[in-house]
């Protein structure tokens, strides 16, 4: 049964990675850090900045997602939603450069911010995290808003509900199911970030647990400490995430109907606020990229093009394979998930698919590397690990977004299917596949973009004959070729954008 | 999105895997930028292969620290014959774990740079650089002339995190060498005018080039890159009266090589005049030989006095220094 196999793979790799590190660390998990004041400070700071970042991201995402869903006159909506995914491939160097160009000492926006403006510190972290995560929230939430059935809008209009009444009675119930999950996701992403936090946070006061894990595993190669930190992260961040997700849930709305795009009238104040926000956020997301253009245009000629072309092909190959695998794993896990009716078993499957969001990629990679080292020559077979681990890292994003579709499908068709006795491949080809297609395209896009930007996994399993683009950007930036690195980063973003266009093209 | 794509891609990855499976006579583990097309790797490979009539394969990892971890993890399973690109702060770890073996290079027969005073029987230096703070000559007419002046002044400074970057570790070493037990107080004073501390060299250097700081931690050789590649001498290294600490990049024979003769030959090649003329202008570090002809830009670099601790002392104190720094700057 593919479902059982998929869940087994998801869990086995994490367990193997943790075991391998635990065995290597003889003494087991080291808890010495618990007695250090520094550790508690870091934990507190990690939580605090993640909470603030998540709240701020949602405060921006909510009105904008609503405008995107309800205002039919917004131009360039499809491009904007693609732009929203690009932040997942943006190398941290590019993001830092871009934000410094905007908000730094001689930044474009700095004169508007008054005398006392100081980017480095909490402002820098929050700006970067909103940049990285609000777009994700916008995408997911605007999709939720769009999923509100036309009939609900029509009835609310017939009943003459006021804007607020409609919001509470029609929109809020739909949002309520998705909001805690999105909040939890953004919270975890912010909790786990570090290169940006360190650079824009103004120094080690602004350190997250992830830095400590990186240090423990990379600089000190101290598996006990790394394991301890990873466990703390799993317990604290994972616990909070589980808590958030419990407030959310699934709700079946009504049969989806194609073609009918009736949208309610939105008050003109709300409409214009939405449009202003749309323009502002689009500019905010575009400007760091635009600020690279002059530099990149000059450096473009100096790029080692044949190497870049090879690296791009490799990146696309790895990312496609990882994205497809992530989607297959999620589908398999969901096929198992829908078999069970009890909450406990469903939650266990969810945990198997989602826990990769909390386990640091570095722990997973190094652990797996060590675990299979004696039997596998990673120089030759590392590409399997690159594809597999990138698939697992993308899996939570894929799983949470496919789950509602699967749920709706069952709510709508389960009875009917039981009557028809449709099973296996025919069921997939005739009914389930077409039903899920739009959702599949969406999650394939996000998984592809996530894997395209991978640097950490490749750093462990990579081999010089399969250089990827992010890896080349890192090498360029590390040897004074910062302008060329910017040019290559633009190329990476362009590749991602091209892939997104292809994925979203055939919308029949 | 269809299955054909995934099949093509799998076949493609498989082909790549097989290409690398054809084992070369000599496998050299090094860091990524060493073997990039603009690094010294490709040229060294061509020249060495022509000399030895053998094949050489480079395997590149992220950086020097990742290199140490890789060989440590692989232990006896490693395919490395030679390890190129560790630095002196990692030597003690490498030795403790028995990852290398003595080489046959005779330093006495080579005109080595005197400041290195190198006599290690396992590690061969192939380039080195002094850490230095770089400033923009067009903005700062009178740069600071000592580490003390930098720390007690109010110029905006960016440096790298010693927990994630080797230059950061170098500054830790430097402050400790100048201030001894007074180092924590010096760190606290520096923290008052530190713009930020980045996880890697490139973020810090880029922020400096964008004008975010007056001084950035890098190497005395950084100005040479700007002179040669950008044609500008506006970026210069501040010469500090207390002296500068150096980073020495070393190569060694893997303890598990099955071809020690060829591996030794490669180490000797790294020290040849031929190789030593390639490395500085591709890796932007200083040669370890005295008799190497370099572009004129290298003559304009500052020549600081070398201070600091031995590789073993650095290795032994690293974690204490990091903790000391962490406490001092987080306050």
């Amino acid at each position: 049964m593919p479902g059982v196999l998929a869940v087994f793979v998801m869990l086995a790799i994490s367990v193997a990675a943790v075991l391998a590190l635990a065995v290597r660390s003889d003494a087991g998990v080291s808890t010495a850090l618990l007695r250090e004041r520094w550790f508690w400070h870091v934990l507190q700071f990690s939580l605090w900045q993640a909470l603030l970042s998540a709240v701020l991201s949602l405060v921006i995402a909510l009105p904008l997602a609503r405008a995107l869903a309800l205002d039919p006159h917004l131009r360039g909506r499809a491009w904007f939603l693609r732009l929203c995914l690009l932040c997942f491939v943006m190398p941290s160097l590019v993001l830092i450069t871009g934000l410094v160009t905007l908000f730094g000492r001689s930044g474009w926006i700095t004169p508007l911010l008054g005398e006392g403006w100081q980017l480095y510190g909490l402002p820098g972290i929050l700006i970067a995290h909103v940049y990285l995560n609000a777009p994700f929230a916008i995408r997911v939430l605007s999709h939720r808003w769009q999923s509100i059935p036309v009939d609900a809008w029509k009835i609310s209009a017939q009943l003459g509900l006021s804007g607020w009444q409609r919001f509470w009675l029609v929109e809020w119930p739909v949002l309520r199911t998705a909001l805690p999950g999105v909040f939890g996701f953004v919270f975890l992403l912010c909790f786990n970030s570090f290169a940006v936090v360190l650079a824009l946070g103004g120094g080690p006061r602004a350190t997250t647990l992830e830095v400590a894990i990186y240090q423990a595993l990379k600089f000190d190669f101290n598996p006990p400490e790394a394991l301890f930190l990873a466990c703390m992260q799993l317990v604290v961040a994972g616990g909070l995430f589980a808590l958030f997700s419990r407030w959310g849930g699934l709700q079946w709305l009504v049969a989806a109907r194609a073609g009918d795009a009736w949208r309610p009238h939105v008050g003109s104040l709300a409409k214009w606020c939405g449009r202003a926000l749309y323009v502002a956020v689009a500019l905010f997301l575009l400007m760091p990229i635009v600020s690279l253009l002059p530099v990149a245009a000059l450096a473009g000629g100096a790029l080692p093009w044949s190497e870049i072309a090879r690296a791009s092909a490799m990146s696309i190959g790895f990312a496609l394979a990882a994205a497809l695998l992530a989607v297959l794993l999620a589908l398999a896990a969901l096929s198992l998930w829908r078999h069970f009716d009890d909450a406990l078993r469903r939650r266990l499957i969810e945990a198997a698919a989602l826990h990769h969001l909390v386990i640091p990629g570095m722990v997973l990679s190094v652990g797996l590397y060590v675990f299979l080292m004696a039997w596998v020559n990673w120089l030759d077979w590392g590409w399997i690990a690159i594809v597999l681990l990138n698939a697992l890292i993308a899996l939570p994003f894929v799983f949470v977004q496919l789950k509602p579709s699967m749920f709706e499908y069952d709510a709508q068709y389960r009875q009917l299917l039981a009557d028809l006795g449709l099973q296996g491949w025919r069921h997939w080809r005739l009914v389930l596949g077409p039903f899920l297609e739009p959702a599949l395209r969406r999650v394939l896009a996000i998984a592809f973009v996530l894997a395209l930007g991978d640097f950490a996994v490749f750093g462990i399993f990579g081999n010089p004959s399969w250089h990827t683009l992010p890896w080349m950007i890192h090498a360029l930036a590390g040897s004074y070729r910062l302008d060329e690195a910017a040019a290559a980063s633009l190329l990476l973003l362009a590749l991602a954008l091209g892939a997104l266009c292809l994925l979203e093209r055939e919308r029949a | 999105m269809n299955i054909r794509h995934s099949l093509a891609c799998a076949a493609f990855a498989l082909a790549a895997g097989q290409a690398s499976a054809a084992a070369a006579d000599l496998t050299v583990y090094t860091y990524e930028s060493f073997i990039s097309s603009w690094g010294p790797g490709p040229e060294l490979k061509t020249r060495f292969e022509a000399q030895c009539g053998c094949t050489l394969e480079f395997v590149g990892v992220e950086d020097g620290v990742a290199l140490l971890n890789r060989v440590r993890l692989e232990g006896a399973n490693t395919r490395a014959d030679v390890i190129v690109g560790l630095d002196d702060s990692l030597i003690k770890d490498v030795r403790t774990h028995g990852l290398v073996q003595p080489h046959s290079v005779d330093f006495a027969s080579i005109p080595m740079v005197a400041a290195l005073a190198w006599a290690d029987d396992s590690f061969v230096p192939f380039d080195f650089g002094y850490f230095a703070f770089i400033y923009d000559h067009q903005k700062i007419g009178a740069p600071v002339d000592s580490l003390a002046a930098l720390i007690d002044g109010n110029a905006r400074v960016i440096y790298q995190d010693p927990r994630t970057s080797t230059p950061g570790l170098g500054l830790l070493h430097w402050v400790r060498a100048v201030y001894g037990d007074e180092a924590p107080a010096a760190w606290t004073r520096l923290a008052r005018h530190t713009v930020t501390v980045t996880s890697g060299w490139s973020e810090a250097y880029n922020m400096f080039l964008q004008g975010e700081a007056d001084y950035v931690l890098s190497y005395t050789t950084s100005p040479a890159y700007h002179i040669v590649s950008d044609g500008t001498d506006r970026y210069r290294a501040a010469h500090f009266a207390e002296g500068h600490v150096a980073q020495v990049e070393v190569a060694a024979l893997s303890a598990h090589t099955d071809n020690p003769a060829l591996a030794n030959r490669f180490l000797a090649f790294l020290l040849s005049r031929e190789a030593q003329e390639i490395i500085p202008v591709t890796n932007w570090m200083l040669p370890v030989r005295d008799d190497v002809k370099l572009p004129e830009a290298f003559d304009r670099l500052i020549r600081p006095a070398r201070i600091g601790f031995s590789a073993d002392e650095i290795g032994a104190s690293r974690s204490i220094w990091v903790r000391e720094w962490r406490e001092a700057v987080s306050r």
Side-chain angles (χ1 to χ4, degrees):
Chain A
M1 204 161 152
V4 177
L5 186 69
V7 171
F8 174 77
V9 167
M10 293 167 195
L11 291 174
I13 287 178
S14 306
V15 171
V18 169
L19 266 185
L21 287 182
V23 167
R24 264 196 101 84
S25 57
D26 313 322
V29 172
S30 147
T31 54
L33 275 178
L34 276 181
R35 291 185 294 277
E36 284 196 45
R37 208 174 38 131
W38 168 83
F39 167 77
W40 293 105
H41 170 79
V42 167
L43 186 62
Q44 202 183 339
F45 181 79
S46 298
L47 288 170
W48 173 236
Q49 60 85 12
L51 193 72
L52 278 183
S53 305
V55 168
L56 204 59
S57 297
L58 285 195
V59 164
I60 290 171
L62 274 170
L64 184 52
R66 184 168 194 264
L68 279 168
L70 301 189
D71 186 346
H73 299 298
L74 285 186
R75 277 157 189 264
R77 184 197 327 254
W79 287 102
F80 179 84
L81 288 175
R82 283 171 204 148
L83 180 64
C84 280
L85 273 189
L86 288 192
C87 53
F88 278 119
V89 268
M90 193 162 289
S92 61
L93 179 72
V94 171
L95 178 62
I96 294 167
T97 308
L99 292 180
V100 167
T101 309
L102 295 185
F103 301 99
R105 216 175 166 193
S106 42
W108 301 349
I109 296 180
T110 308
L112 310 175
L113 297 169
E115 270 301 294
W117 169 252
Q118 168 66 278
L119 171 66
Y120 304 98
L122 203 53
I125 295 175
L126 293 182
I127 289 175
H129 277 164
V130 166
Y131 188 93
L132 288 172
N133 300 306
F136 169 73
I138 290 169
R139 255 185 92 97
V140 177
L141 290 175
S142 83
H143 180 74
R144 281 321 288 170
W145 244 298
Q146 273 164 355
S147 74
I148 294 174
V150 170
D151 299 326
W153 291 123
K154 284 187 174 159
I155 290 171
S156 71
Q158 280 158 5
L159 291 175
L161 296 184
S162 76
W164 273 109
Q165 285 170 323
R166 190 178 62 205
F167 180 79
W168 279 116
L169 295 173
V170 180
E171 300 169 49
W172 178 245
V174 177
L175 278 185
R176 210 196 65 87
T177 61
L179 211 48
V182 175
F183 183 83
F185 250 68
V186 175
F187 175 85
L188 279 192
L189 290 175
C190 298
F191 191 85
N192 289 348
S193 84
F194 94 82
V196 172
V197 172
L198 206 56
L200 296 182
R205 256 165 306 208
T207 292
T208 55
L209 268 195
E210 196 80 1
V211 183
I213 293 176
Y214 183 85
Q215 181 200 358
L217 213 46
K218 183 163 177 201
F219 249 50
D220 302 340
F221 197 70
N222 182 348
E225 196 170 300
L227 263 189
F228 167 73
L229 290 165
C231 290
M232 285 304 289
Q233 184 140 318
L234 198 63
V235 170
V236 176
L240 282 170
F241 180 69
L243 204 66
F244 294 138
S245 327
R246 279 199 71 148
W247 291 330
L250 292 168
Q251 196 179 17
W252 184 58
L253 303 164
V254 74
R257 280 203 318 232
D260 196 349
W262 194 87
R263 284 291 174 253
H265 175 74
V266 177
S268 61
L269 180 67
K271 193 153 69 190
W272 285 105
C273 285
R275 286 176 187 176
L277 191 64
Y278 177 69
V279 173
V281 171
L283 282 178
F284 174 54
L285 293 182
L286 271 176
M287 275 211 274
I289 304 175
V290 171
S291 74
L292 288 180
L293 282 173
V295 176
L298 282 176
L303 276 180
W305 278 106
S306 64
E307 248 177 296
I308 293 272
R310 254 177 69 82
S312 306
M314 275 293 166
S315 284
I316 292 174
F318 278 130
L320 255 184
L324 285 170
L325 184 59
V327 171
L328 286 180
L329 282 172
L331 281 174
L334 280 168
S335 74
L336 191 63
W337 179 84
R338 56 199 280 263
H339 262 283
F340 296 128
D341 282 325
D342 63 308
L344 181 68
R345 272 187 286 187
R346 283 191 162 194
R347 207 161 283 153
L348 281 177
I349 294 171
E350 283 164 20
L354 295 179
H355 75 276
H356 302 99
L357 197 58
V358 194
I359 290 195
M362 187 142 177
V363 168
L364 218 54
S365 307
V366 175
L368 186 68
Y369 189 95
V370 174
F371 189 80
L372 292 177
M373 194 173 57
W375 302 287
V376 176
N377 180 354
W378 284 124
L379 277 181
D380 295 336
W381 298 103
W383 61 274
I384 297 185
I386 294 173
V387 170
L388 182 60
L389 288 178
N390 274 306
L392 288 178
I393 288 169
L395 180 63
F397 294 87
V398 175
F399 187 86
V400 285
Q401 290 191 65
L402 275 186
K403 197 175 74 172
S405 302
M406 197 62 113
F407 179 83
E408 277 165 28
Y409 175 77
D410 275 341
Q412 210 167 318
Y413 295 119
R414 195 171 220 176
Q415 212 57 51
L416 192 66
L417 283 171
D419 295 342
L420 283 173
L422 210 54
Q423 271 180 342
W425 173 240
R426 279 172 59 81
H427 166 219
W428 168 258
R429 197 172 57 87
L430 293 174
V431 195
L432 184 56
F435 180 89
L436 287 182
E437 198 195 304
L440 284 176
R441 283 176 183 278
R442 259 197 340 267
V443 294
L444 207 54
I446 199 168
F448 176 82
V449 169
L450 268 171
L452 193 65
D454 165 65
F455 177 74
V457 175
F458 190 89
I460 309 278
F461 292 98
N463 165 322
S465 47
W466 331 314
H467 274 172
T468 61
L469 207 43
W471 191 249
M472 278 210 66
I473 292 167
H474 173 81
L476 283 166
S479 35
Y480 295 97
R481 298 170 173 257
L482 294 157
D483 296 350
E484 281 108 309
S489 305
L490 269 189
L491 184 69
L492 179 69
L493 293 174
L495 276 183
L497 195 62
L500 291 177
C501 291
L502 277 179
L503 276 172
E504 293 175 342
R505 193 182 47 183
E506 308 151 51
R507 189 163 282 157
Chain B
M1 262 330 71
N2 52 43
I3 286 292
R4 255 174 298 147
H5 280 273
S6 76
L7 285 181
C9 158
F12 164 74
L14 202 66
Q18 274 159 358
S20 76
D25 301 321
L26 193 71
T27 302
V28 177
Y29 279 20
T30 184
Y31 53 80
E32 185 50 40
S33 54
F34 194 85
I35 55 174
S36 54
S37 61
W38 55 89
E43 185 69 18
L44 293 179
K45 177 177 151 80
T46 315
R47 306 252 188 134
F48 183 68
E49 284 180 342
Q51 272 183 25
C52 69
C54 61
T55 53
L56 184 153
E57 172 196 35
F58 281 119
V59 174
V61 300
E62 192 180 341
D63 53 26
V65 182
L67 188 58
L68 164 64
N69 290 340
R70 178 63 68 93
V71 284
R72 180 145 83 178
L73 275 178
E74 291 181 346
N77 294 325
T78 191
R79 302 203 333 178
D81 298 304
V82 179
I83 305 154
V84 173
L86 300 162
D87 74 34
D88 49 344
S89 68
L90 304 172
I91 282 182
K92 184 172 182 293
D93 280 345
V94 180
R95 232 196 288 274
T96 327
H97 290 90
L99 302 171
V100 294
Q101 56 176 305
H103 57 73
S104 65
V105 173
D106 176 19
F107 295 119
S109 65
I110 302 167
M112 300 287 284
V113 168
L116 286 175
W118 201 265
D120 196 283
D121 69 345
S122 299
F123 295 92
V124 173
F126 63 90
D127 67 19
F128 77 107
Y130 295 103
F131 292 111
F133 282 93
I134 306 295
Y135 63 95
D136 182 348
H137 166 68
Q138 292 176 2
K139 285 187 191 157
I140 296 176
V144 287
D145 56 2
S146 66
L147 184 61
L150 181 82
I151 285 179
D152 295 324
N154 55 13
R156 296 160 58 91
V157 174
I158 295 184
Y159 62 94
Q160 299 82 4
D161 194 319
R163 295 170 295 183
T164 52
S165 130
T166 42
L169 204 55
L171 184 60
L172 217 57
H173 177 194
W174 201 354
V175 169
R176 192 71 209 186
V178 171
Y179 286 90
D181 290 336
E182 301 297 313
W187 282 119
T188 311
R189 293 203 296 283
L190 180 61
R192 288 192 203 119
H193 50 101
T194 300
V195 176
T196 191
V197 178
T198 64
S199 54
W201 173 88
S202 49
E203 288 100 331
Y205 205 75
N206 205 24
M207 284 168 130
F208 163 74
L209 293 180
Q210 285 187 282
E212 292 299 290
D214 302 318
Y215 294 93
V216 66
L217 179 65
S218 186
Y219 297 90
T220 55
T221 41
S222 301
Y225 174 83
H226 294 291
I227 296 172
V228 172
S229 297
D230 306 338
T232 174
D233 69 344
R234 67 188 280 193
Y235 300 109
R236 298 182 185 178
H239 195 153
F240 284 179
E242 298 96 337
H244 292 227
V245 299
Q247 177 180 33
V248 184
E249 293 199 280
V250 298
L253 236 58
S254 163
H256 307 284
T257 174
D258 44 16
N259 199 347
L262 190 60
N264 262 311
R265 198 165 160 195
F266 184 72
L267 290 186
F269 169 73
L270 277 180
L271 287 183
S272 68
R273 256 180 84 165
E274 191 182 356
Q276 286 291 306
E277 275 173 11
I278 296 170
I279 293 172
V281 290
T282 43
N283 220 24
W284 302 103
M285 294 287 267
L286 298 168
V288 295
R289 286 175 75 117
D290 259 338
D291 59 347
V292 174
K293 236 176 76 81
L294 291 177
E296 184 266 333
F298 281 80
D299 298 337
R300 292 202 247 164
L301 304 181
I302 60 164
R303 291 163 203 276
R306 185 179 177 197
I307 56 168
F309 301 102
S310 74
D312 286 336
E313 285 167 318
I314 305 172
S317 322
R318 199 179 70 195
S319 59
I320 302 168
W321 293 347
V322 168
R323 188 167 306 179
E324 193 177 272
W325 166 83
R326 200 173 68 192
E327 286 296 321
V329 294
S330 304
R331 221 169 281 150

